[in-house]
């Protein structure tokens, strides 16, 4: 879900959470914005534990049927509704505005059921989605998009060469450590690359331990998540070398564009090859990724 500090998860109060969290920084340090080291945050669970909530019921079931109810649930009983129906529908006006601003090849981090990747493919744009949910990757591929089953903290094709990275639908929360996630994304982008983030439409900055639940008793294992509004995102981004490149709101949703640092010491060598494929494999096959073309 989108980050929003402060108020916490109110029962059925806010909408627009994450399409799928990924293993946290403990497992793969990188992928900026992978919740890492926030004050007062306990260590992230192991990769397997974090992946489970989004790789099996009830999240996978909701994606397969295209509807909820589905929530992020805290131990105190507060619930954040997840917009499964919107995620499984076509790109809306707010989504299309995001895609209009994308530059070069596009990496959708936590692509979920793939509406953004499918829309980019329909426009003839080169794009790849990554997600730790097999159901999400399968859905994306059925829509005609390219997607890989993996965490943002795993090796990603075209590291250091992506023109744009997306953290939409609350995916700024991945890993529960925005600073770590931002660092990882910086490694994935080309120098001066563009990151477009969806933020919570209120000024919040919180770290929570949640489960994916269907409201009928089924729930996945716990994982760390973060929620940030625009002011909080900028507080994390500026010290890390990110440069604000625009802010806007559309359809009740808030977005921020950031420019990456001018150089990345961990980027993949420019002439190395990597693959973009719709196959759900952990290791790339020898081929050229969209980012290389």
């Amino acid at each position: 879900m989108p980050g929003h500090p402060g108020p916490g998860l109110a029962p059925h109060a806010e909408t627009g959470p994450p399409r799928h969290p990924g293993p946290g920084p403990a497992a793969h340090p990188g992928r900026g914005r992978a919740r890492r080291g926030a004050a007062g945050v306990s260590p992230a669970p192991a990769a397997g534990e974090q992946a489970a909530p989004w790789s099996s019921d009830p999240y996978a079931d909701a994606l397969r049927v295209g509807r909820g109810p589905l929530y992020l649930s805290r131990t105190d009983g507060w619930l954040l509704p997840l917009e499964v129906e919107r995620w499984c529908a076509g790109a809306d006006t707010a989504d299309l505005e995001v895609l209009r601003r994308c530059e070069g090849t596009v990496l959708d981090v936590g692509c979920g059921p793939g509406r953004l990747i499918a829309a980019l493919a329909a426009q003839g744009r080169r794009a790849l989605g990554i997600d730790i949910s097999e159901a999400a990757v399968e859905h994306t591929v059925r829509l005609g998009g390219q997607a890989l089953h993996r965490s943002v903290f795993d090796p990603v094709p075209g590291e250091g060469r992506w023109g744009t990275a997306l953290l939409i639908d609350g995916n700024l929360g991945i890993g529960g450590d925005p600073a770590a996630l931002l660092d990882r994304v910086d490694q994935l982008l080309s120098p001066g690359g563009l990151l477009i983030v969806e933020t919570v439409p209120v000024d919040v900055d919180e770290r929570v331990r949640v489960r994916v639940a269907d409201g009928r008793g089924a729930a996945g294992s716990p994982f760390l998540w973060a929620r940030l509004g625009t002011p909080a995102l900028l507080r994390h981004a500026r010290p890390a070398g990110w440069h604000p490149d625009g802010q806007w709101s559309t359809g009740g949703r808030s977005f921020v564009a950031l420019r990456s640092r001018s150089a990345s010491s961990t980027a993949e060598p420019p002439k190395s090859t990597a693959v973009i494929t719709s196959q759900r494999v952990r290791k790339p096959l020898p081929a050229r990724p969209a980012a290389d073309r």
Side-chain angles (χ1 to χ4, degrees), residues 98-178:
V98 167
L99 302 188
R100 185 186 69 78
R101 294 170 181 257
C102 291
E103 303 171 355
T105 54
V106 181
L107 179 68
D108 186 1
V109 177
C111 65
R115 73 184 190 282
L116 301 182
I117 292 297
L120 286 165
Q123 295 173 6
R125 312 272 300 270
R126 294 192 294 276
L128 174 70
I130 58 173
D131 203 295
I132 64 168
S133 164
E134 291 190 24
V137 171
E138 291 169 354
H139 197 286
T140 301
V141 173
R142 284 199 300 272
L143 292 180
Q146 292 186 321
L148 289 175
H149 177 217
R150 66 186 57 188
S151 162
V152 66
F153 296 102
D154 286 332
V156 173
E159 296 206 14
R161 297 192 300 281
W162 291 96
T164 302
L166 302 177
L167 287 171
I168 306 300
D169 297 335
N171 284 324
L172 177 57
I174 292 173
D177 183 343

Side-chain angles (χ1 to χ4, degrees), residues 14 26 29 67 99 125 144 158 174 244 246 249 259 276:
E14 298 170 313
R67 62 179 182 275
L99 302 188
R125 312 272 300 270
I174 292 173
S249 296
R259 288 285 172 189
I276 279 190

Side-chain angles (χ1 to χ4, degrees), residues 14 17 51 72 92 143 156 161 171 199 231 247 265 267 271 292:
E14 298 170 313
L72 286 189
D92 61 19
L143 292 180
V156 173
R161 297 192 300 281
N171 284 324
T199 59
Q247 300 177 33
S265 60
K271 296 191 177 181
D292 287 341

Side-chain angles (χ1 to χ4, degrees), residues 198-285:
E198 182 170 358
T199 59
V200 177
V202 292
D203 186 10
V204 293
D205 188 349
E206 68 181 3
R207 312 293 178 272
V208 292
R209 187 173 290 275
V210 295
R211 296 172 183 266
V212 178
D214 65 4
R216 298 184 292 265
S221 57
F223 57 92
L224 292 177
W225 198 252
R227 305 171 73 229
L228 283 75
T230 295
L233 169 59
L234 295 177
R235 287 195 294 270
H236 286 283
R238 286 191 174 106
W242 291 88
H243 306 290
D245 196 49
Q247 300 177 33
W248 69 97
S249 296
T250 306
R253 298 165 61 193
S254 300
F255 303 89
V256 176
L258 300 169
R259 288 285 172 189
S260 71
R261 309 165 195 166
S262 59
S264 174
S265 60
T266 56
E268 188 177 324
K271 296 191 177 181
S272 63
T273 57
V275 67
I276 279 190
T277 173
S278 60
Q279 298 179 35
R280 300 187 307 283
V281 294
R282 302 298 294 183
K283 296 182 179 179
L285 300 175

